[in-house]
Amino acid sequence: MKTNRKPVTPYQAIAIVVNTIISGRLLILPRELCTEVGNGSWLMIVVSALVALVIISLYTAVGRRFSDSSLPQYTVKTLGVFGGSMLALLFGASWLIMASLSARIFSAVIITAILPRVPLEVGILVMLLLGAHLATKNIATIARVHELLLPLVVGAIFLLVVPSLSRVSLWRLLPLIEPGSLKKLGTGILVGSSSFLGLEIVSLFMPCYGRPELAGRSHKLGILIVAAVALLTVEGCIGVLGTGTLARTQWPTLTLVRMISFHGIFERLEAPFLAMYVIVVFTTIGSMLFGVVAILAQLFKIKSQAIWPYLLVIPAYYLAVGPPNVIAVEKAGQIFAYFRLGLVVFTPLIVLLVAIIRGKEDRPDEKQAEGS
Amino acid sequence: MKNKLKALKILVFILIVVTLSFRGWSSSRDIEKRSFVLTQGVDTAPDNTFSVTYSLANPQALGNEEGGGSKGKESAIIYKTRCRNLWQGHHFIQARTEHPLFLGHVQTLVLGEELARQGIGRVVDVFMRAAETRLKTWLVVAEGEAGKILEVAPKPEKLAPLYIGRALEMEDYLNVIPLLRVAEFGIRLRNPGEHPVAPMVKAGDDELALTGLALFKDDKMVGKLNHEEMHYFFLTVAGKGHMFKRVETSAGDTFSYEISNVKRRVRLHRTGDQVSFSVLLAVEGNIVEAVTERSLRDMEFLASVEQVITEALAKDCRALLTKIQTEFQVDSFGFGAMVRGRYPKLWAQLDWDQDFPTVPIKITLDATIRRLGMVSE
């Protein structure tokens, strides 16, 4: 039977970008931005989206240059076995930590909002196991899962956030930029840009793109969808809650949903919202753990990935339960996000620079020669 | 070997799912094994304590005899306790009930007037902090004690604690008041340039009545408007407050004018560091009662009646504005939020609480008669 070695379609590429980036972070992003720059949060989202577009373009460029290699392979090709492997392992570690933090944040939301008697550990384990299960699958399956869940994730977020916009007060949205808030522009952009992290996952999927020439378009569209969701959520939160209330709301996106109802059908929407959010977090954790599995498999030449990815749940679980409380989780997450942002920004730059200097790239003729 | 591995994988997966699910079910609770709190009342009590009253649904009393209802039982059970903080009160009442108390269906939060005057920030914080509570709960201030409000069983309502919420929803439906839920109160409490308001209710022997509006400066009640003033307030601030206005012309003709629509426009002006506002209200309505010998088909007469209505409404709106500006000195209108939004640098220099009483605010009103009802003159 002939198998398609390049199974990922342009639509699936969009879905991978969107589903990986949108995570539990969206539940706290409005507060994080508002605390830094107040009403100017919308500007941070716009600027951060532009930054994310630049970063993903770098990954697209590297991916095109190394059309048959994924991140661990092209870092080794350009930076040598030791340097390249270490860098790839850093990515793997950062994805593992991100999966842990996503599971922890989401479990904290679940047990606070709707299941107060469920142990935190159970929530974390369930999410990590689900993610690990997805990570045992091949690229084609993962891409199909993302494709299937994209309308559900984006559609449900829009469906639940848009009705709250009827409660938006124009005066709470103004001034568009508060005087003095631009002093914190740098921090605001850092917070905003870190909310787009996860985009680097395309470095693992690009070698499997059926139409790599459309990769740039798919990636950009994915970022724009994420930016639209983030912008809508942040402005919705500011317009409804106001900056004063928003700054002291733990999970503002959830609070926004708690304030609306589809009269006569659903009185309280937080339960369906969080049920839908399981999918959001599942796709993020699944992508992240898949990234760890792919890096380890490629660096250590492991062929089967049927069972051992489940073992990743063990370190991820301990990382997730480590912080003593929700404040420590957020602080750790913020510091980690800045480190990760540096890693994600500088890696493609270094790889591209070294590849150009050393003339490294995947040439079709090389591959044909290898094949023959 | 491969099949065995697959079977083992499935078995382990099922075992994990079942084990975790057992813990996951621990939050589940059958609906009949919950005690639904429908109304919460909070009052001040001596020695810096609270008096907390819960009105719990008694589902057994709701059905008829054929339907399994228990004749003679009250539809709501009242529990009262004294406590140092609200959660302590919750646990005191919990200790007296058979099932876990559930706050997810609280319809109304009633606060005593004395407590409101002392400050209700603590109460609102507890309510907003809890995940189980409804953010769409109505927040009302009781004239007198909140506990008395919960004890009243209005005749039209089978389940008494639902009465206030439904009555207020009806007022919203009739465009008398906007939705004044606990979430909106909490939000206004924290946002610069905004001050919350809450409806006031009064308990009779077997009835409850909406009597006016409580005005807050931060979390403390600083004044109250009577029922009529409340109409003018919402007319000015939200384009609501639909009401009847009885007017009398100089010739002695009397008319009842029913407001059916209000278009509101607020303009903010700035001269140097001084701000001023002009509020334009375009009111539309119908004549629902006329005591006159003249025909309203006479356009000249109709215009003169419109003028009388305009003057009467404008006078009352201005009187209300003066009262709020000079007597209560609180910007319940939310003009401050406009200044903050439009001129943020100026806002940073202003002390709005100090400045608001002297800010020039001009109200212009234009009343139009749209229809005369089913009578043609």
Side-chain angles (χ1 to χ4, degrees):
Chain A
M1 195 174 80
K2 191 182 172 187
T3 54
N4 187 3
R5 286 192 62 252
K6 306 245 179 197
V8 181
T9 65
Y11 177 73
Q12 287 173 340
I14 298 171
I16 289 164
V17 171
V18 175
N19 287 346
T20 305
I21 298 175
I22 297 180
S23 68
R25 183 82 188 278
L26 190 67
L27 296 173
I28 55 173
L29 181 68
R31 170 169 52 83
E32 286 186 325
L33 282 172
C34 176
T35 310
E36 296 296 336
V37 289
N39 285 62
S41 302
W42 66 273
L43 184 65
M44 299 305 115
I45 296 285
V46 172
V47 175
S48 303
L50 294 174
V51 172
L53 283 173
V54 172
I55 300 172
I56 209 162
S57 300
L58 287 172
Y59 279 94
T60 312
V62 178
R64 282 197 179 127
R65 192 173 179 94
F66 295 95
S67 55
D68 290 310
S69 308
S70 63
L71 183 128
Q73 292 164 327
Y74 60 63
T75 51
V76 168
K77 280 179 187 173
T78 49
L79 305 174
V81 175
F82 182 75
S85 303
M86 283 297 130
L87 194 61
L89 283 173
L90 265 180
F91 267 88
S94 78
W95 286 332
L96 190 70
I97 296 171
M98 187 179 168
S100 311
L101 288 173
S102 292
R104 171 68 189 258
I105 289 175
F106 186 63
S107 295
V109 177
I110 290 282
I111 62 167
T112 308
I114 52 172
L115 300 172
R117 291 166 67 87
V118 172
L120 177 76
E121 294 79 3
V122 170
I124 293 171
L125 264 179
V126 169
M127 291 315 300
L128 288 175
L129 279 170
L130 281 171
H133 186 65
L134 184 62
T136 60
K137 306 298 173 195
N138 59 31
I139 280 190
T141 309
I142 289 171
R144 273 204 298 275
V145 167
H146 279 296
E147 178 184 22
L148 192 73
L149 296 179
L150 177 70
L152 213 61
V153 168
V154 177
I157 291 178
F158 273 105
L159 195 69
L160 289 170
V161 173
V162 167
S164 67
L165 300 182
S166 62
R167 290 169 175 265
V168 165
S169 156
L170 175 70
W171 293 110
R172 286 181 188 147
L173 290 173
L174 296 174
L176 289 175
I177 296 167
E178 286 173 61
S181 66
L182 290 183
K183 284 177 195 160
K184 289 190 170 178
L185 186 72
T187 328
I189 293 173
L190 271 180
V191 172
S193 302
S194 63
S195 69
F196 284 86
L197 285 174
L199 58 84
E200 70 278 9
I201 205 75
V202 298
S203 61
L204 298 177
F205 287 90
M206 268 195 79
C208 300
Y209 281 7
R211 298 182 66 186
E213 70 279 7
L214 295 179
R217 204 180 72 172
S218 298
H219 293 166
K220 282 171 195 159
L221 202 56
I223 294 290
L224 290 177
I225 292 171
V226 175
V229 170
L231 196 61
L232 193 74
T233 310
V234 168
E235 286 304 277
C237 285
I238 294 175
V240 174
L241 301 174
T243 50
T245 307
L246 180 54
R248 67 188 300 277
T249 305
Q250 179 62 33
W251 291 298
T253 311
L254 183 64
T255 303
L256 196 67
V257 173
R258 284 180 71 201
M259 289 180 67
I260 57 165
S261 61
F262 288 117
H263 208 64
I265 306 169
F266 291 116
E267 166 72 8
R268 299 185 66 148
L269 291 173
E270 58 259 49
F273 175 75
L274 287 175
M276 178 278 300
Y277 227 84
V278 171
I279 299 168
V280 173
V281 178
F282 160 69
T283 50
T284 303
I285 294 176
S287 283
M288 294 293 102
L289 292 182
F290 169 75
V292 184
V293 169
I295 282 180
L296 294 177
Q298 286 173 26
L299 286 180
F300 299 105
K301 315 274 185 229
I302 305 166
K303 284 192 176 159
S304 165
Q305 54 186 59
I307 298 289
W308 68 269
Y310 289 109
L311 297 175
L312 291 173
V313 171
I314 298 167
Y317 170 78
Y318 282 104
L319 284 168
V321 294
N325 54 45
V326 72
I327 305 155
V329 174
E330 282 187 24
K331 279 194 175 159
Q334 211 161 32
I335 294 165
F336 166 68
Y338 295 155
F339 158 76
R340 201 165 147 233
L341 189 62
L343 183 71
V344 168
V345 171
F346 288 112
T347 299
L349 280 174
I350 293 168
V351 169
L352 210 54
L353 202 68
V354 174
I356 291 166
I357 293 167
R358 295 176 65 184
K360 295 279 183 185
E361 66 180 306
D362 287 346
R363 294 189 184 89
D365 51 328
E366 268 180 16
K367 194 159 183 281
Q368 278 166 11
E370 278 172 24
S372 62
Chain B
M1 184 63 189
K2 212 171 184 179
N3 282 343
K4 278 184 183 172
L5 193 69
K6 199 174 178 184
L8 183 71
K9 195 176 162 184
I10 292 170
L11 192 68
V12 170
F13 196 76
I14 290 171
L15 273 174
I16 290 171
V17 168
V18 169
T19 312
L20 293 176
S21 299
F22 271 120
R23 296 312 307 270
W25 289 330
S26 59
S27 284
S28 74
R29 186 92 194 161
D30 288 339
I31 197 162
E32 66 271 20
K33 290 184 179 168
R34 282 184 187 270
S35 292
F36 292 99
V37 183
L38 296 180
T39 313
Q40 267 182 299
V42 189
D43 285 298
T44 50
D47 303 326
N48 198 24
T49 57
F50 292 109
S51 169
V52 173
T53 314
Y54 278 15
S55 178
L56 268 56
N58 182 16
Q60 289 177 343
L62 287 176
N64 52 30
E65 280 182 37
E66 293 82 32
S70 303
K71 200 180 175 186
K73 281 194 174 180
E74 296 290 330
S75 62
I77 307 164
I78 304 291
Y79 287 91
K80 210 167 195 170
T81 189
R82 263 180 69 178
C83 50
R84 294 225 164 265
N85 61 57
L86 296 174
W87 277 112
Q88 189 186 39
H90 183 85
H91 286 289
F92 285 165
I93 293 173
Q94 179 67 82
R96 291 155 58 193
T97 53
E98 187 184 5
H99 301 303
L101 293 169
F102 183 63
L103 299 172
H105 287 297
V106 175
Q107 304 295 310
T108 316
L109 174 63
V110 188
L111 305 170
E113 186 173 343
E114 198 183 329
L115 176 74
R117 290 195 182 272
Q118 286 178 12
I120 59 169
R122 276 175 75 184
V123 181
V124 175
D125 178 71
V126 166
F127 212 86
M128 298 287 277
R129 201 175 283 273
E132 197 177 86
T133 50
R134 286 173 80 236
L135 292 181
K136 291 185 283 288
T137 298
W138 288 92
L139 187 149
V140 300
V141 175
E143 281 202 20
E145 281 181 40
K148 297 278 179 214
I149 301 287
L150 272 70
E151 285 163 13
V152 174
K155 281 177 184 166
E157 185 60 66
K158 206 169 188 181
L159 193 53
L162 300 181
Y163 181 80
I164 306 173
R166 288 188 178 165
L168 290 170
E169 268 163 29
M170 183 269 297
E171 298 282 352
D172 170 59
Y173 172 76
L174 295 175
N175 277 321
V176 176
I177 62 169
L179 294 169
L180 296 168
R181 317 280 202 179
V182 71
E184 188 59 23
F185 191 96
I187 289 167
R188 281 169 166 262
L189 204 58
R190 298 280 168 190
N191 284 325
E194 298 183 50
H195 290 289
V197 295
M200 292 197 75
V201 288
K202 190 176 180 182
D205 290 338
D206 56 358
E207 63 175 19
L208 291 169
L210 176 65
T211 55
L213 194 73
L215 308 182
F216 286 78
K217 185 179 260 186
D218 299 324
D219 74 328
K220 290 184 178 62
M221 180 178 160
V222 291
K224 56 182 170 186
L225 305 178
N226 62 32
H227 198 268
E228 199 174 352
E229 289 168 335
M230 181 185 74
H231 281 281
Y232 293 121
F233 176 78
F234 287 124
L235 199 67
T236 314
V237 84
K240 292 249 179 179
H242 291 194
M243 59 190 287
F244 295 92
K245 179 70 187 168
R246 185 184 172 278
V247 292
E248 191 170 340
T249 63
S250 53
D253 301 322
T254 60
F255 298 93
S256 285
Y257 177 74
E258 180 196 32
I259 296 174
S260 60
N261 191 25
V262 184
K263 285 178 187 150
R264 178 178 167 272
R265 198 172 191 183
V266 181
R267 286 201 172 141
L268 166 59
H269 315 281
R270 181 183 175 180
T271 315
D273 287 348
Q274 294 293 315
V275 289
S276 60
F277 296 87
S278 46
V279 182
L280 309 163
L281 297 170
V283 179
E284 292 176 6
N286 310 320
I287 294 294
V288 290
E289 187 181 350
V291 183
T292 178
E293 294 300 314
R294 295 185 66 181
S295 169
L296 284 166
R297 296 188 79 81
D298 176 354
M299 294 302 281
E300 206 172 294
F301 181 57
L302 190 75
S304 71
V305 174
E306 278 180 342
Q307 186 57 33
V308 171
I309 295 167
T310 296
E311 282 167 11
L313 286 174
K315 187 182 159 204
D316 289 337
C317 285
R318 284 178 200 132
L320 170 81
L321 175 72
T322 308
K323 184 174 183 178
I324 292 178
Q325 263 194 306
T326 55
E327 192 178 325
F328 303 136
Q329 303 192 350
V330 59
D331 179 15
S332 305
F333 299 95
F335 289 129
M338 294 176 70
V339 180
R340 179 183 172 269
R342 189 93 174 268
Y343 304 115
K345 282 182 183 167
L346 176 65
W347 173 256
Q349 296 164 18
L350 293 173
D351 180 350
W352 190 245
D353 284 344
Q354 289 285 322
D355 297 337
F356 174 69
T358 55
V359 167
I361 301 168
K362 185 181 164 197
I363 295 182
T364 310
L365 194 140
D366 182 28
T368 313
I369 297 170
R370 284 286 179 212
R371 281 171 290 277
L372 307 176
M374 300 299 281
V375 177
S376 65
E377 57 181 19

